[in-house]
Amino acid sequence: MALRMIGDKVMGFMAKHYQAALGNQLATYGLRYEDLLNEDEKEVKEALELADPAIQTARTRRIKRAIDLSYKKKSLQDYAPDMDLELFKKEIYVDVEKIRARDQEYAQLNAHNKM
């Protein structure tokens, strides 16, 4: 019990530092954490198809801007220092989790067909 509490505290401490480091890297290019999700995964692809067109457009623009800034070896802060970034805002990840849960439930319900 005590070992688990210590492990949880250590993991929480490390997670906060990792999130801060990742946030700094994302802010450099103006990306969100969700922009790093792989579009080739079927759950992510379906969630993007179901998402509002404004969300899809914003995601595409952020990715293109990040590619451009990376190519120019610049930071977003050079162009828009006062821009408010919501680095860990979740717009499609909730849908991705629902789709994964649905697919997992479907697989469990149809497990008897594989015998």
Side-chain angles (χ1 to χ4, degrees), residues 23 59 73:
R59 182 176 194 266
K73 301 205 183 313

Side-chain angles (χ1 to χ4, degrees), residues 22 37 44 64-65 78 85 88 90 94 96 114:
L22 181 63
L37 294 176
V44 176
K64 286 181 179 180
R65 179 180 61 211
D78 296 339
L85 301 173
F88 296 100
K90 294 183 179 180
V94 175
V96 171
K114 296 188 181 193

Side-chain angles (χ1 to χ4, degrees), residues 94-112:
V94 175
D95 293 335
V96 171
E97 289 177 335
K98 288 179 183 177
I99 292 168
R100 284 182 181 155
R102 181 201 64 197
D103 291 346
Q104 185 178 23
E105 181 182 1
Y106 182 77
Q108 287 177 348
L109 289 173
N110 292 317
H112 70 282

Side-chain angles (χ1 to χ4, degrees), residues 36-91:
L36 303 178
L37 294 176
N38 187 358
E39 292 180 24
D40 294 332
E41 291 182 18
K42 68 177 189 135
E43 297 91 356
V44 176
K45 187 174 187 176
E46 185 177 346
L48 284 171
E49 289 172 357
L50 295 173
D52 187 39
I55 292 173
Q56 294 174 355
T57 303
R59 182 176 194 266
T60 303
R61 287 180 181 171
R62 284 191 303 271
I63 292 171
K64 286 181 179 180
R65 179 180 61 211
I67 291 169
D68 184 53
L69 289 171
S70 175
Y71 177 76
K72 293 177 181 177
K73 301 205 183 313
K74 295 283 185 177
S75 170
L76 182 64
Q77 302 303 320
D78 296 339
Y79 296 102
D82 297 331
M83 186 178 220
D84 182 31
L85 301 173
E86 298 174 353
L87 303 174
F88 296 100
K89 183 177 179 182
K90 294 183 179 180
E91 291 180 329

